[in-house]
Amino acid sequence: MAPLIAPIAKRKNIVIVGAGFGGLAAAQALAEAHADITVIDRRNFHLFQPLLYQVATAALSPADISAPIRSVLRRQANAHVMLDKVTGIDREKRVVLTEGRRAVPFDYLVLATGARHSYFGRDDWAPFAPGIKTLDDATRLRARILLAFERAELETDPAARRALLTFVVIGAGPTGVELAGSIAELARKSVTRDFRSIAPGDMTVVLIEAGPRILPSFRENLAQAAAQSLEEMGVTLRLAQPVTEVTAHTVTISGRVLPAATIIWAAGVKASAAGRWLGAETDRAGRVKVGPDFTTAGEPDIFVIGDTAACVDEGGKALPGVAPAAKQAGAWVGKLIAARLASTREPKPFRYRDKGAMATIGRKSAVVDLGRIRLTGGAGWLLWSAAHVWFLIGFRNRFSVATSWLWSYLTWERGARLITGQEIARARAPDIPIRQQDAA
Amino acid sequence: MAPLIAPIAKRKNIVIVGAGFGGLAAAQALAEAHADITVIDRRNFHLFQPLLYQVATAALSPADISAPIRSVLRRQANAHVMLDKVTGIDREKRVVLTEGRRAVPFDYLVLATGARHSYFGRDDWAPFAPGIKTLDDATRLRARILLAFERAELETDPAARRALLTFVVIGAGPTGVELAGSIAELARKSVTRDFRSIAPGDMTVVLIEAGPRILPSFRENLAQAAAQSLEEMGVTLRLAQPVTEVTAHTVTISGRVLPAATIIWAAGVKASAAGRWLGAETDRAGRVKVGPDFTTAGEPDIFVIGDTAACVDEGGKALPGVAPAAKQAGAWVGKLIAARLASTREPKPFRYRDKGAMATIGRKSAVVDLGRIRLTGGAGWLLWSAAHVWFLIGFRNRFSVATSWLWSYLTWERGARLITGQEIARARAPDIPIRQQDAA
């Protein structure tokens, strides 16, 4: 006799590693799936990375640009959050291995572990020229920038003072441009009025780019407008000049040594360890080479998305390492898995929809390229602000960021100007321009 | 021949060490003085210490309760801010010595360097039972509390899980009471709905007090009301029970060993090093014994105020270690110095005006004792909130705190629930209840 009811399929396990834009989009696309979803991240919060530079330059607080992962997924009953660090994947046993000595079983696996900085083989530069990828990076950089002003205020030697007031940003993609603009603004407007001995003209902000122009991913005329805005704000551009050496307190470009207390790296990224975990083929930047369905050869149930994947979509377009690309990939992969679980029709092949690019230059200007709509200056800034507030996850953050920005716009006040994580102000000795250990 | 104009007196140097409530009040009282004021602090911000427990329990962000010292004194032209750590005082040469190898000359010196925790001779307990006096203390404690929940969520061993969900606060003064209430609230309302496996009943919050009752500085009936509110919120009170041992994961009281992953110290304070710098007589808590004019024997130009001084005013009243006392002392000393500089009439002898005391118990209740006005419950909470928002230095912070509180009141949302400064979630092994190194 045939059973009266069909046997109920065992709930499948879907593991998503990384709660960035890609990972969360995948989890949310699986909201209705009859499955157990486990989101593993080594931090307890989702970070709105595109605004990290505003934390580094004391315009926003860490809490403004982050949301606890548990809060984001609170109403999604099939989602579980695990705070742990993934150390490897056992493809045979179909488990994800963690530092907390767990083995998390999966039927489907989504790897969305992002990227770190790349120093192009010069990892010895890392302590001298930190980048910003995490909140801790940003608050450390904030302390470093603010301490440079504090030291300059008390410095009597002109050369040492000049070095303390020189800020060098290496790399003129969107992050580098936004950082340089934001530092110039912090320096010239909000900070100098707080210090008795620092005048706006004492400051130097240098943006270095190995390529021939800033914002290579933008149209030429928009990049031109951005370059002009930066120069009006007092940023010195050094284009087509690769950096040949970085030390604790100098940058060498074109054979010239530039003394600077604050050097920031915005030049390159390197994918996370996902490629190593899988033993998969990677590109030069360590990204896993995936097909247009985000899988690697022979593993139809393992997906790699976002900054940690090198993907060319069905239309032959290479996906850029930006939040919208990660989100679209995550949502598509989530829908694909949901369709397979429910045995319904799979989504159409993935095509990346380029919604355009934006970069802000200080508080009065931005360049926005949405294809048909191209804006520069104040109109660009307004659209940029609206878009960023809108995309911040969680209404509370939206509200808080909006009030912070409005306040800062109206008053030039910087709300988050705290040097934390530093028990002691390491005031420097007059004879050593910048102490070695400060860079550590 | 006599000179046509009288010789102009050299501007005097006034050095204020510490930009807490006392130091800032002194600087501000000297706003009109014909003198150079140097405020030295090892941090670049003033901290609203009474609300630190709200940062530790993720209700407020660090920036909400701090203001850059330079911003606070921006409009005071005679005030200079120096970020440095004082290491000593040379009374002969009349200079303050700093870690940055500076020797800052003074004609008048105000020491307002505050206090740290005291473990009553058991400094070995410090790593296991941290207190909160600084922002870094508070964010570390926040990470510890939130990590305990994260670990409990994944824990399968019942005893280890119980220990992870046990929070012990040692000391039932205002800080201990406010901490215990705030943790109970964080746990029972905001956190448990984010975790799949933690129910409000799984949590234990224990408030331990060696004395016979909580809030010894409050009237008996108000303390009684506060105790009742705490118990209604689920806090277990252990009164008249001194702690005899603290380890990384246990507290021993009355011979019983209580396993707990989170132990917080709110029991005692110890004055800063000012007494040692001066070689002055100190009391048991390390506070400099000063006369009713805040000077020590033989040094009419050196003043010690706030938590680092033991002072009995003209009326015979001992000053408590609270913000209003420090503020009143700072303002009085500032006025005294200003009068001496201008050779005008000195202020009347100092008398401490006790404006009352407040303590909050969670978001729905507070005890307020203003002498004639005594409130408990919701009315107390409203007055408490209004007073704290009002006294926060700087309008921006007031605005931000007000919106944060309103938001949190309406939604039970906690805006600042981030585990920062922790690259990795140290997930614990099942066989070790709480790893030794977690306490470090």
Side-chain angles (χ1 to χ4, degrees):
Chain A
M1 203 175 103
L4 283 177
I5 47 169
I8 293 166
K10 187 184 152 285
R11 274 171 86 93
K12 298 280 187 187
N13 288 309
I14 304 167
V15 174
I16 299 170
V17 184
F21 292 108
L24 280 187
Q28 287 167 334
L30 284 157
E32 307 297 322
H34 180 70
D36 285 312
I37 302 164
T38 303
V39 177
I40 308 178
D41 199 294
R42 56 181 171 168
R43 297 196 183 80
N44 78 328
F45 51 86
H46 167 78
L47 180 66
F48 197 84
Q49 258 188 9
L51 289 177
L52 260 183
Y53 77 97
Q54 297 225 358
V55 172
T57 53
L60 293 175
S61 275
D64 292 334
I65 62 160
S66 0
I69 302 164
R70 292 188 187 281
S71 302
V72 176
L73 297 175
R74 179 184 295 155
R75 284 180 194 83
Q76 190 171 332
N78 65 356
H80 306 261
V81 179
M82 183 182 284
L83 182 68
D84 208 339
K85 186 179 175 180
V86 170
T87 52
I89 292 161
D90 188 329
R91 289 162 67 178
E92 294 282 302
K93 293 189 184 144
R94 308 310 270 181
V95 290
V96 173
L97 305 168
T98 75
E99 204 175 56
R101 290 190 251 161
R102 292 191 185 86
V104 188
F106 66 84
D107 297 298
Y108 294 95
L109 175 61
V110 181
L111 297 172
T113 45
R116 288 284 309 168
H117 321 106
S118 166
Y119 290 86
F120 307 125
R122 291 303 302 265
D123 286 350
D124 54 316
W125 294 354
F128 311 133
I132 45 167
K133 277 278 171 193
T134 69
L135 266 189
D136 291 327
D137 289 346
T139 50
R140 264 196 299 269
L141 182 56
R142 180 177 74 183
R144 201 175 172 130
I145 292 171
L146 297 173
L147 275 175
F149 288 109
E150 293 288 346
R151 288 176 192 154
E153 170 85 344
L154 300 169
E155 182 54 65
T156 47
D157 176 66
R161 193 163 180 282
R162 206 152 44 231
L164 284 166
L165 293 175
T166 301
F167 299 82
V168 174
V169 178
I170 302 172
T175 302
V177 163
E178 294 184 319
L179 259 173
S182 196
I183 293 171
E185 181 175 78
L186 170 73
R188 275 161 203 275
K189 299 280 178 162
S190 354
V191 165
T192 52
R193 65 178 175 181
D194 278 353
F195 290 86
R196 305 294 184 218
S197 78
I198 304 174
D202 298 347
M203 297 269 323
T204 312
V205 181
V206 183
L207 179 61
I208 300 176
E209 169 60 44
R213 67 174 176 96
I214 70 166
L215 297 175
S217 61
F218 284 67
R219 265 168 248 248
E220 177 101 41
N221 60 334
L222 287 174
Q224 200 65 46
Q228 202 186 320
S229 292
L230 282 172
E231 286 181 326
E232 277 164 16
M233 292 176 71
V235 175
T236 307
L237 301 180
R238 298 282 196 93
L239 304 176
Q241 297 183 43
V243 169
T244 53
E245 191 57 73
V246 177
T247 71
H249 43 87
T250 62
V251 175
T252 306
I253 32 168
S254 308
R256 287 201 309 173
V257 176
L258 178 66
T262 310
I263 305 164
I264 307 164
W265 191 259
V269 293
K270 175 171 71 185
S272 65
R276 195 163 42 73
W277 297 340
L278 293 175
E281 197 189 344
T282 56
D283 71 359
R284 226 161 34 107
R287 298 183 301 168
V288 178
K289 288 186 180 171
V290 294
D293 64 347
F294 301 99
T295 64
T296 53
E299 284 287 6
D301 301 332
I302 299 182
F303 303 87
V304 188
I305 60 172
D307 287 358
T308 205
C311 179
V312 176
D313 75 2
E314 282 290 331
K317 200 186 264 173
L319 267 65
V322 297
K327 272 182 162 171
Q328 292 175 32
W332 188 85
V333 166
K335 269 183 229 153
L336 180 74
I337 297 172
R340 287 200 195 156
L341 287 172
S343 301
T344 55
R345 202 156 57 93
E346 295 193 1
K348 279 188 284 186
F350 180 77
R351 268 175 192 272
Y352 171 55
R353 292 205 303 154
D354 187 352
K355 290 180 182 157
M358 301 182 173
T360 171
I361 304 110
R363 65 160 217 156
K364 59 176 182 183
S365 179
V367 288
V368 177
D369 185 348
L370 306 181
R372 260 172 300 180
I373 303 168
R374 288 170 225 170
L375 298 171
T376 59
W381 191 87
L382 280 178
L383 186 61
W384 177 90
S385 302
H388 278 74
V389 168
W390 181 253
F391 285 120
L392 275 179
I393 282 179
F395 169 73
R396 191 212 176 255
N397 283 347
R398 243 175 244 170
F399 180 68
S400 171
V401 170
T403 55
S404 265
W405 276 344
L406 188 65
W407 181 253
S408 136
Y409 193 89
L410 294 173
T411 63
W412 288 107
E413 205 40 271
R414 294 261 161 169
R417 216 154 64 231
L418 313 177
I419 303 176
T420 51
Q422 302 260 351
E423 276 291 310
I424 303 148
R426 293 209 225 98
R428 34 167 306 287
D431 51 323
I432 314 165
I434 294 96
R435 283 198 214 155
Q436 195 74 17
Q437 70 263 37
D438 292 345
Chain B
M1 201 173 104
L4 284 177
I5 48 168
I8 294 165
K10 187 185 152 284
R11 275 171 85 93
K12 299 279 188 190
N13 288 311
I14 304 167
V15 174
I16 299 170
V17 185
F21 291 107
L24 279 187
Q28 287 168 335
L30 283 157
E32 307 297 323
H34 181 70
D36 285 313
I37 302 163
T38 303
V39 177
I40 308 178
D41 199 293
R42 58 181 169 166
R43 295 196 184 79
N44 78 328
F45 52 86
H46 167 79
L47 180 66
F48 196 85
Q49 258 186 11
L51 288 177
L52 261 183
Y53 77 96
Q54 297 225 357
V55 172
T57 52
L60 292 175
S61 273
D64 292 334
I65 62 160
S66 3
I69 302 165
R70 294 186 184 282
S71 301
V72 176
L73 296 175
R74 180 185 293 154
R75 284 180 194 83
Q76 190 171 331
N78 65 357
H80 305 263
V81 178
M82 185 181 283
L83 181 68
D84 209 339
K85 187 180 177 178
V86 170
T87 53
I89 292 160
D90 188 330
R91 286 162 69 176
E92 294 281 304
K93 294 189 182 142
R94 310 307 272 179
V95 290
V96 173
L97 304 168
T98 74
E99 204 176 55
R101 290 190 251 160
R102 293 191 184 84
V104 188
F106 66 84
D107 298 297
Y108 294 95
L109 176 61
V110 181
L111 297 173
T113 44
R116 289 281 311 165
H117 321 106
S118 166
Y119 289 86
F120 308 124
R122 291 303 302 264
D123 286 351
D124 54 315
W125 294 354
F128 311 132
I132 45 167
K133 277 278 170 194
T134 70
L135 267 188
D136 291 327
D137 289 346
T139 50
R140 264 196 299 268
L141 181 55
R142 180 178 72 183
R144 202 177 171 129
I145 293 171
L146 296 174
L147 275 175
F149 288 110
E150 293 287 348
R151 289 178 193 153
E153 170 85 344
L154 300 170
E155 182 57 63
T156 47
D157 176 67
R161 192 162 180 281
R162 206 152 43 233
L164 285 165
L165 293 175
T166 301
F167 300 82
V168 174
V169 178
I170 303 172
T175 301
V177 164
E178 294 185 319
L179 259 173
S182 197
I183 293 172
E185 183 174 78
L186 170 72
R188 275 162 203 277
K189 299 282 181 161
S190 354
V191 166
T192 51
R193 65 177 174 181
D194 277 353
F195 290 86
R196 305 291 184 222
S197 77
I198 304 174
D202 298 346
M203 295 268 324
T204 312
V205 181
V206 183
L207 179 60
I208 301 176
E209 168 62 42
R213 66 173 176 98
I214 70 164
L215 297 175
S217 61
F218 284 67
R219 267 169 247 248
E220 177 101 38
N221 61 333
L222 286 175
Q224 201 63 48
Q228 201 186 321
S229 290
L230 282 173
E231 287 181 325
E232 278 164 15
M233 292 175 69
V235 175
T236 306
L237 302 181
R238 296 283 195 96
L239 305 176
Q241 298 185 42
V243 169
T244 51
E245 191 57 74
V246 178
T247 71
H249 44 86
T250 61
V251 175
T252 307
I253 33 168
S254 309
R256 286 202 310 173
V257 177
L258 178 66
T262 309
I263 305 163
I264 307 163
W265 190 259
V269 294
K270 176 171 69 184
S272 66
R276 195 162 42 74
W277 298 339
L278 294 175
E281 197 189 343
T282 56
D283 71 359
R284 225 161 35 107
R287 298 182 303 167
V288 178
K289 288 186 180 173
V290 294
D293 65 347
F294 300 100
T295 65
T296 53
E299 285 286 5
D301 302 333
I302 298 181
F303 303 86
V304 188
I305 59 173
D307 286 357
T308 204
C311 179
V312 175
D313 75 3
E314 283 289 332
K317 198 185 266 174
L319 269 66
V322 297
K327 271 182 161 172
Q328 292 175 30
W332 187 86
V333 165
K335 270 184 227 150
L336 180 76
I337 296 172
R340 288 202 195 153
L341 287 171
S343 303
T344 54
R345 200 155 58 94
E346 293 192 1
K348 280 187 284 191
F350 180 78
R351 268 175 192 274
Y352 171 55
R353 294 204 302 155
D354 187 352
K355 290 178 183 159
M358 301 183 174
T360 171
I361 303 113
R363 66 162 215 158
K364 58 174 184 186
S365 177
V367 287
V368 176
D369 184 349
L370 307 180
R372 260 172 301 180
I373 303 167
R374 288 171 226 168
L375 298 171
T376 59
W381 190 87
L382 279 178
L383 185 62
W384 176 91
S385 301
H388 278 76
V389 169
W390 181 254
F391 286 118
L392 275 179
I393 284 180
F395 168 73
R396 190 207 178 262
N397 283 349
R398 244 175 244 169
F399 180 68
S400 171
V401 171
T403 54
S404 266
W405 277 344
L406 188 64
W407 182 252
S408 132
Y409 195 89
L410 294 173
T411 63
W412 288 105
E413 204 41 270
R414 295 263 159 167
R417 216 157 62 231
L418 312 177
I419 303 176
T420 52
Q422 300 261 356
E423 277 290 312
I424 303 149
R426 293 210 227 98
R428 38 167 303 287
D431 51 324
I432 313 164
I434 293 95
R435 283 198 215 158
Q436 193 72 15
Q437 70 262 37
D438 292 343

